[in-house]
Amino acid sequence: MDLIIAKDYEEMSRAGADIFADLLRNDPSAVLGLATGSTPIGLYQSLVADCDAGRISFADVTTFNLDEYCQLPVTDVNSYRYFMDHNLFDKVDIDPAHVHLPNGNAPDREAECLQYEDAIARAGGIDIQLLGLGHNGHIGFNEPASDFPVITHVVDLTPSTIDANARFFDSEDDVPKQAITMGIGTIMKARRIVLLASGEGKADIVARSAFGPVMPSVPASVLQLHPNVTVIVDEAAAAALPRA
Ligand code: GLP
């Protein structure tokens, strides 16, 4: 696991964006795994700026997002589809046909999960997966559990995740209680993983994820077993890391 400690959120975002931009220059038809949440917004802004300046293009890129809420219209401002359109897809030259998010409104959710997993495989797998980090160690929406879920699946969100995400909704009651998420196995199959974390509120879970025991009650700890992971944190999120 490579660890980069950036000065602040801006430096963290630029460092993460540089990894994606380098990949796109070397492989313009790369398959990107993308994430939502407040953490990656700066990275997306940097990539939009790179695309505007002609340094990178998304024309041949394929994307798969980690997760999507269930039973929330994609037009809702809190849907992850809306987030991605607003923060990246509408601002770059990506082909909308190459964009994939799980369909949280699919009538048959189990079939949707299998179809999503299959679509990733047919695209040749994910070259680079971007991750944020939940306060309880979740990645995508893989919540602390008694085992590591392997493939894309429907998940019941934990009260702590519902509480954390309530800030985006009018009230906690409006936060969807379920989501479809890539599994831990899906994420671990990505050829490279970049995890971003920012702010002192993430310091404890960053330390437990990167240096604590690997266990499903801290889902991100599984990343210690992946051969090509870069963790980029700002100084605040690095505060609880062992000094050495
Ligand atoms: C949500 C997303 C995760 C994200 C997490 C952290 O739960 N499903 O993919 O990593 O939020 O969000 P933030 O970056 O806002 O702290």
Side-chain angles (χ1 to χ4, degrees), residues 204-216:
D204 177 56
I205 195 62
V206 165
R208 290 169 61 208
S209 301
F211 293 100
V214 175
M215 51 190 183

Side-chain angles (χ1 to χ4, degrees), residues 36-40 66-67 80 132-134 138 140-141 161 165 167 202:
T36 53
S38 48
T39 309
L66 281 167
D67 47 14
Y80 286 167
L133 182 64
H138 73 235
F141 266 135
T161 297
N165 289 351
R167 66 190 194 274
K202 297 282 173 74

Side-chain angles (χ1 to χ4, degrees), residues 178-200:
Q178 289 187 310
I180 293 179
T181 181
M182 285 185 195
I184 293 288
T186 324
I187 293 168
M188 290 292 279
K189 272 196 275 184
R191 287 181 268 283
R192 182 170 188 187
I193 294 174
V194 174
L195 181 140
L196 304 183
S198 166
E200 61 183 339

Side-chain angles (χ1 to χ4, degrees), residues 75-107:
T75 49
D76 189 292
V77 293
N78 287 303
S79 78
Y80 286 167
R81 175 72 210 210
Y82 185 96
F83 174 99
M84 291 307 303
D85 285 346
H86 182 72
N87 285 291
L88 185 68
F89 300 146
D90 287 349
K91 298 179 172 170
V92 295
D93 57 345
I94 198 162
D95 179 347
H98 293 171
V99 164
H100 305 84
L101 283 91
N103 177 5
N105 296 299

